[in-house]
Amino acid sequence: MRLRHIKGAEETIASNRFVIQEPEAVKGHWQDYFKELRGDDLPHPLHIEVGMGKGRFLMDMAEAHPDINYIGIEMYSSVLLRGLQKMEERDLNNLRFLRIDATYIEDSFEKGEVDRIYLNFSDPWPKDRHAKRRLPGRVFLKRFAGILVPGGNIEFKTDNRELFDFALEEVEPAGYEMIEYTFDLHNNEKMSAGNIMTEYEEKFSSIGNPICKYIIRLPEQV
Ligand code: SAM
């Protein structure tokens, strides 16, 4: 994603009501955090998107699935700021944001606290020496295993076939099981049921790029 420095982005984010400023303090207590926010006393599954960009996918998901709590993670203030502007119009009480680098995601969530992780159009980092930065690579998948519930899922979408082929190879070494995958999501009736498009997905599918997707699972017994 092309980044422009937006003046005042950090300051706006630091005082924004949709951004959790000290996620380390909420670690292990996300259920309580959302119970207070929603004003109910029920447990709800927690789904997160890592690298959410402007966050429209999560806003649409949160609106479509009010019974699920969502957290969007984005490391760049200038990108997150765009999402916050949209969130003002939608004001969802089952969605909040963290401005963190997912490298340190285990500082924000307890082991077993997250039910599902979405990775959408993750940066490909094509150079070999940058492989460790790829979110669907084994280094990150192992970090994600440190916060997922046993049996929890990761759903990954991309139009980048090279990145997807790499990601398929990483699943087993990182200790996950494949549930299903496709190289052409929009022509796969089963896997595209209920699909909500991300901003990148709309952009790349509109120029004819097929969208790849997998769903993987952390084993019940790790
Ligand atoms: N998911 C969105 C979509 O599909 O429209 C945005 C995709 S964009 C290509 C990838 C986003 O992931 C960028 O905004 C980038 O800043 C973010 N990102 C990449 N690595 C990250 C990390 N380690 N932690 C948090 N965000 C990250």
Side-chain angles (χ1 to χ4, degrees):
M1 182 173 290
R2 210 154 51 91
L3 286 176
R4 269 187 313 124
H5 182 72
I6 299 177
K7 215 170 149 226
E10 278 82 10
E11 291 79 352
T12 305
I13 285 165
S15 61
N16 190 280
R17 66 192 168 114
F18 300 121
V19 181
I20 293 139
Q21 306 295 339
E22 287 183 36
E24 298 87 353
V26 194
K27 178 178 174 175
H29 307 287
W30 286 107
Q31 283 294 339
D32 295 335
Y33 174 87
F34 276 105
K35 274 181 192 167
E36 200 175 318
L37 194 63
R38 300 167 71 109
D40 73 13
D41 205 20
L42 302 166
H44 296 274
L46 180 60
H47 295 183
I48 70 176
E49 183 184 8
V50 179
M52 66 158 202
K54 298 178 200 159
R56 206 193 54 204
F57 167 79
L58 273 192
M59 290 182 220
D60 290 347
M61 290 292 280
E63 211 160 76
H65 305 284
D67 52 323
I68 294 170
N69 292 328
Y70 292 92
I71 293 181
I73 293 174
E74 172 54 51
M75 69 176 171
Y76 288 117
S77 302
S78 52
V79 182
L80 175 58
L81 188 66
R82 300 281 186 230
L84 297 178
Q85 287 159 351
K86 289 194 194 131
M87 188 72 172
E88 288 294 339
E89 294 154 26
R90 301 180 76 164
D91 204 0
L92 297 152
N93 69 357
N94 59 334
L95 170 61
R96 287 297 179 264
F97 305 114
L98 305 187
R99 199 209 58 75
I100 60 166
D101 178 341
T103 304
Y104 309 105
I105 199 161
E106 289 161 287
D107 296 343
S108 297
F109 299 94
E110 201 60 74
K111 196 167 174 61
E113 212 172 11
V114 175
D115 296 276
R116 182 178 299 167
I117 298 176
Y118 292 102
L119 304 175
N120 292 319
F121 295 79
S122 306
D123 297 321
W125 293 106
K127 292 189 179 133
D128 283 347
R129 69 172 192 274
H130 291 148
K132 285 186 184 150
R133 298 184 193 176
R134 296 175 196 150
L135 296 180
R138 71 188 72 181
V139 173
F140 268 100
L141 290 183
K142 286 178 185 171
R143 290 183 183 126
F144 299 149
I147 65 168
L148 273 173
V149 72
N153 291 352
I154 299 180
E155 300 199 4
F156 170 51
K157 292 196 276 192
T158 183
D159 70 317
N160 186 318
R161 182 59 192 265
E162 238 171 273
L163 179 65
F164 192 66
D165 287 344
F166 162 82
L168 289 175
E169 296 291 327
E170 296 292 281
V171 174
E172 257 186 54
Y176 290 77
E177 298 163 351
M178 178 60 67
I179 299 180
E180 54 187 339
Y181 67 93
T182 174
F183 296 113
D184 191 0
L185 176 65
H186 295 178
N187 288 305
N188 181 313
E189 204 177 328
K190 177 165 173 260
M191 286 190 76
S192 66
N195 183 51
I196 286 185
M197 289 217 261
T198 78
E199 269 139 341
Y200 272 65
E201 185 172 355
E202 258 183 24
K203 184 165 131 190
F204 291 120
S205 61
S206 74
I207 57 168
N209 293 5
I211 306 302
C212 305
K213 174 172 180 171
Y214 76 40
I215 304 176
I216 61 173
R217 172 175 51 211
L218 197 63
E220 293 288 345
Q221 306 285 335
V222 190

